[in-house]
Amino acid sequence: MVYGQSTVPFKSRCIAIARFVTLLFFMGCSGGGFDPPPQSPSNVNPNDVDPPSPNNGDPKLIWEDNFDGDALNDKHWTFDVGRGGWGNQELQNYTRANHTVNNGVLTIEARKSGPNRYSSSRIKTQGLQEFQYGRIEARIQLPEGQGLWPAFWLLGADIEDVGWPACGEIDIMEYVGREPGIFQNAIHTPSGHAGEANSKRTRVEDLEGKFHVYAIHWTAQAIEFYFNDRLTYQYSPSPKNNETYPFNKPMFLLLNVAIGGTFGGPVGDNVVFPQKMIVDYVRVYEPD
């Protein structure tokens, strides 16, 4: 999803207004915030025997959230809140109230309160937890329905200084309910972003209604995307510079469910609300 809006104040009103306008113009909610050029999705059967994990051996776990207890860990996560379309003409109002933590899972709930009135939550580790390289993964069960747009993604921690897309964006997973059975990986950089983003769509049997693990293996040279440890996409441009690979620096994590917008599309009349994105865990492993 694309960032779209920030809750962290800038150093001056002038700079804040300029960057806010820029973010709204260029970004959309979560990974790949604008519909990429059409492509034929590859196919993955999650019931196939999976190959070894992309990190051979036993990589060291350096950070995790298993969503134990009955509240979100405020040392790990904070919130984006508010309306405004988030750069993609999205319909939801992001609140703190649309999430719960219990029974060992995080649930982000998309709700409808009236005609074209929806609410959801967007959480992030910005200012609390930042990561550079390694394996990053989450075990997620997706919501269903046309107009739903859940995502698991990263943004460069320097976004408040350099803006988007210079900060870089890695969309580990994004899904739009108007295309059931398909999820997307995407990369946004100054050299390719919004409709020109580098992306890959993958078709999966039984994608909805089950937990699956979405992951990246991120190094100074490449970003590999995995679905249940099966490689779906690799990004390794040449040459690598700030225009093509602004990923040799810390980034923070985001989880959210957007509704509608330029990528999510119209909300279907038959969508039954509330809809839930359920997250079992988020884990980060040390670099190779």
Side-chain angles (χ1 to χ4, degrees):
M1 307 287 278
V2 184
Y3 195 65
Q5 196 167 348
S6 173
T7 60
V8 179
F10 296 105
K11 295 181 180 179
S12 71
R13 179 178 296 273
C14 179
I15 295 175
I17 293 173
R19 287 179 176 168
F20 178 73
V21 172
T22 300
L23 289 173
L24 286 179
F25 181 79
F26 284 110
M27 301 186 206
C29 173
S30 67
F34 295 81
D35 206 345
Q39 55 178 300
S40 298
S42 60
N43 291 281
V44 172
N45 184 345
N47 297 316
D48 288 346
V49 177
D50 291 329
S53 169
N55 281 338
N56 295 323
D58 296 312
K60 180 182 178 182
L61 181 68
I62 58 174
W63 183 86
E64 66 179 332
D65 198 324
N66 293 305
F67 304 108
D68 298 322
D70 58 5
L72 202 63
N73 188 333
D74 60 9
K75 294 181 180 179
H76 290 177
W77 305 97
T78 185
F79 293 83
D80 278 325
V81 295
R83 301 183 185 273
W86 297 87
N88 272 332
Q89 303 174 31
E90 297 158 29
L91 302 176
Q92 78 284 340
N93 176 31
Y94 280 130
T95 80
R96 295 172 178 264
N98 285 68
H99 85 284
T100 58
V101 175
N102 53 48
N103 297 321
V105 298
L106 162 72
T107 300
I108 296 178
E109 191 168 274
R111 304 170 187 159
K112 182 176 182 178
S113 58
N116 278 342
R117 293 188 65 84
Y118 304 91
S119 61
S120 183
S121 284
R122 180 157 101 173
I123 66 171
K124 59 184 182 179
T125 66
Q126 184 178 20
L128 299 171
Q129 306 289 334
E130 299 174 357
F131 309 99
Q132 183 172 345
Y133 308 139
R135 176 180 169 91
I136 300 174
E137 66 181 24
R139 186 170 183 261
I140 300 171
Q141 180 175 306
L142 298 175
E144 299 181 56
Q146 182 177 338
L148 276 294
W149 180 9
F152 171 43
W153 48 306
L154 297 94
L155 282 170
D158 59 351
I159 187 170
E160 304 298 352
D161 296 319
V162 303
W164 185 92
C167 66
E169 176 180 328
I170 304 171
D171 300 324
I172 301 176
M173 179 283 299
E174 64 179 346
Y175 165 88
V176 288
R178 59 185 166 82
E179 295 185 317
I182 298 174
F183 74 93
Q184 176 172 279
N185 312 127
I187 293 285
H188 295 263
T189 68
S191 65
H193 57 275
E196 301 301 321
N198 294 276
S199 63
K200 176 68 176 296
R201 297 164 69 241
T202 300
R203 186 182 302 277
V204 176
E205 297 179 12
D206 301 324
L207 179 63
E208 297 86 354
K210 294 184 178 180
F211 280 100
H212 299 290
V213 177
Y214 303 88
I216 57 168
H217 183 212
W218 169 24
T219 71
Q221 301 302 316
I223 302 169
E224 297 174 339
F225 294 79
Y226 291 85
F227 174 83
N228 293 342
D229 282 343
R230 192 168 285 276
L231 181 68
T232 57
Y233 179 51
Q234 181 179 31
Y235 179 74
S236 182
S238 181
K240 291 181 177 64
N241 51 46
N242 290 336
E243 295 295 306
T244 64
Y245 203 80
F247 302 117
N248 293 318
K249 59 187 179 183
M251 304 187 77
F252 61 90
L253 306 175
L254 301 97
L255 288 159
N256 70 290
V257 179
I259 303 169
T262 54
F263 191 46
V267 179
D269 293 336
N270 61 346
V271 179
V272 178
F273 286 92
Q275 284 289 328
K276 299 176 181 180
M277 174 182 179
I278 305 173
V279 185
D280 184 19
Y281 60 74
V282 181
R283 295 173 181 168
V284 180
Y285 295 85
E286 69 179 352
D288 294 341

